[in-house]
Amino acid sequence: MTRPTCRACGAVLTRTVCDLGLSPLANAYVGAEHRHRGEVFHPLHAHVCDACWLVQLEAFESPEAIFSDYAYFSGFSAGWLRHAEDYVAAMVARFGLGPDSHVVEVASNDGTLLQYVVARGIPVLGVEPAANVARAAVARGVPTEVAFFGRDTGRRLAQSGHRADLTAANNVLAHVPDIHDFVAGFSEILKPEGVATFEFPHLLRMIESRQFDTIYHEHFSYLSLGVVIGLLRQHGLRVFDVEEWPTHGGSLRVFACREAAAHEPTPALERVVLSEWAANLFDPSGYEGFGRAVADIKCAALRFLIEERAAGRKVCAYGAAAKGNTFLNYCGIGPELVQAVADRSPHKQGTWLPGSRIPVVSPDALLALRPDTVLILPWNLKDEIAGEMAAIRAWGGRFAVAIPELTVF
């Protein structure tokens, strides 16, 4: 049997972080026309490279198969809207962006972030591989190129007048199987003093808080600052700052520029890298016990849901998010334990979750079911969701999350 190799350095992968069994693509929501057909399940097995310490999955599907027609629209999260608007305000102030600047967002989705740049009169371009999502961006006035980003796309855009003072790449660095080609694109498109920002869930937080539901096939890599610094350096890019954010359970925003650019490094770099060394992310011991902790979460969740069913209590869920699909499929939870899941996105309503086949309904439809318990699947948004769905308290309903540990509130 041929062992997988590291997408960053080519070393053979032999060390397991956790094995979540078989699972369908987390964003492959099932429409009515396919409800009675089978699905393809792939291994969901995270490895860590003993040579460069990149945590990763094997690539079982191409980016074209996963992202060309995508179910995730970022504009339906109130929290992400605030995050995007705050990001734009901070970048404009810090780097003096104005009408003569140019901002390019890679994986720009439905234009949620760039709409705030457009509102300031700054020229923009979105680069988005999912044509269905890109149409939503264009409809809100955000010029968008339908393309996968990489060296060739970056060079083509630079040659056509899209050299960037700022590039944003939020929650996409983990989504690319050819991570070197992707990073090389930023070397092509940045102006000499241009800045590239990358946001991604921090591997350190995933390990510390047992966030195994962050693992799904669309996330090819799980990133530490130390690994990203080395990766960018190979393509002539220098990391000069990092910020820690609570988004997605704990994320990093990394700032990079060309090697010769004038941006001075900040003390935050050393602080975050030292915290990664202290957590043994560059040593096998940092990953021991993670798989067992994940299994403990599964067992606790199943015990709770079985007890709810035995007591005659109705359980529904909120948030038809990719991370929820990892959780439900790993735990083997279906409609017998969770009757329905609510989501604000009309693009998901009326579908069934991949694998578990739990029906997706609107928040109002979920309230009409009068659940006794609402299991919040995107636990990182539990306060926001509990506030939106506070009406369930009227009949004694309650909320629960399963990660990092089972909590009922």
Side-chain angles (χ1 to χ4, degrees):
M1 178 178 175
T2 303
R3 286 190 173 273
T5 56
C6 176
R7 66 173 41 88
C9 72
V12 175
L13 300 174
T14 61
R15 191 174 304 281
T16 292
V17 176
C18 69
D19 186 348
L20 302 178
L22 297 173
S23 186
L25 295 179
N27 281 297
Y29 296 88
V30 180
E33 69 277 18
H34 298 299
R35 187 184 174 192
H36 301 294
R37 299 182 186 178
E39 298 174 70
V40 177
F41 284 59
H42 299 292
L44 197 55
H45 187 162
H47 298 85
V48 61
C49 176
D50 284 336
C52 72
W53 302 106
L54 176 65
V55 174
Q56 58 201 280
L57 302 178
E58 291 182 72
F60 292 100
E61 289 283 1
S62 69
E64 289 78 11
I66 296 174
F67 299 114
S68 293
D69 187 64
Y70 206 42
Y72 176 70
F73 288 70
S74 57
F76 289 100
S77 169
W80 189 254
L81 285 167
R82 289 191 299 271
H83 183 74
E85 187 172 15
D86 290 347
Y87 166 86
V88 170
M91 296 305 102
V92 168
R94 180 170 181 177
F95 300 113
L97 302 177
D100 295 329
S101 306
H102 192 51
V103 177
V104 175
E105 184 183 11
V106 174
S108 50
N109 200 262
D110 60 4
T112 290
L113 184 147
L114 288 181
Q115 67 180 334
Y116 299 114
V117 186
V118 170
R120 291 171 176 265
I122 301 171
V124 307
L125 180 69
V127 183
E128 170 55 49
N132 65 314
V133 183
R135 284 192 292 271
V138 172
R140 59 165 35 122
V142 176
T144 304
E145 176 100 3
V146 178
F148 285 93
F149 190 77
R151 187 191 306 273
D152 290 344
T153 300
R155 181 179 297 138
R156 176 173 58 80
L157 293 177
Q159 291 172 349
S160 62
H162 292 291
R163 298 288 296 276
D165 297 279
L166 175 70
T167 63
N170 293 337
N171 302 304
V172 61
L173 187 57
H175 286 71
V176 291
D178 190 344
I179 199 165
H180 284 289
D181 179 67
F182 181 77
V183 169
F186 294 90
S187 300
E188 298 286 346
I189 203 170
L190 278 182
K191 291 181 180 179
E193 291 294 327
V195 173
T197 68
F198 303 87
E199 289 187 30
F200 49 85
H202 192 187
L203 175 65
L204 176 60
R205 303 301 166 215
M206 185 186 98
I207 297 296
E208 282 182 343
S209 299
R210 304 183 290 280
Q211 299 169 5
F212 74 90
D213 57 342
T214 302
I215 300 170
Y216 46 93
H217 296 106
E218 290 91 329
H219 280 175
F220 294 100
S221 303
Y222 304 83
L223 301 160
S224 65
L225 177 60
V227 165
V228 169
I229 287 173
L231 175 68
L232 295 178
R233 185 184 296 127
Q234 293 180 60
H235 297 277
L237 298 174
R238 173 174 57 84
V239 176
F240 65 89
D241 195 12
V242 63
E243 297 172 350
E244 295 180 272
W245 287 86
T247 49
H248 300 289
S251 296
L252 295 182
R253 177 183 293 163
V254 169
F255 296 75
C257 60
R258 297 184 181 277
E259 282 286 357
H263 302 283
E264 293 290 333
T266 71
L269 288 176
E270 183 178 14
R271 175 177 53 79
V272 174
V273 171
L274 286 176
S275 71
E276 294 178 345
W277 278 98
N280 295 317
L281 294 189
F282 311 109
D283 185 88
S285 63
Y287 303 93
E288 294 174 358
F290 184 74
R292 181 177 178 81
V294 166
D296 289 343
I297 291 172
K298 171 179 179 175
C299 293
L302 285 172
R303 278 195 301 270
F304 172 72
L305 292 174
I306 291 169
E307 289 169 359
E308 291 286 278
R309 178 184 169 92
R313 294 175 60 83
K314 182 185 297 182
V315 178
C316 293
Y318 191 103
K323 62 172 53 184
N325 289 328
T326 290
F327 169 78
L328 294 168
N329 282 298
Y330 171 63
C331 294
I333 297 167
E336 74 287 349
L337 294 176
V338 174
Q339 293 189 17
V341 57
D343 199 276
R344 290 178 60 191
S345 172
H347 304 281
K348 296 179 182 179
Q349 294 165 12
T351 68
W352 287 260
L353 297 183
S356 68
R357 297 299 179 98
I358 298 170
V360 183
V361 301
S362 69
D364 286 343
L366 182 113
L367 291 173
L369 290 171
R370 294 177 66 88
D372 299 291
T373 302
V374 173
L375 177 65
I376 297 176
L377 297 174
W379 44 264
N380 52 303
L381 301 176
K382 65 183 180 66
D383 293 335
E384 176 183 326
I385 292 168
E388 290 178 4
M389 301 297 288
I392 78 158
R393 304 285 192 191
W395 56 81
R398 56 188 184 164
F399 298 94
V401 294
I403 297 171
E405 61 186 3
L406 185 68
T407 306
V408 180
F409 60 99

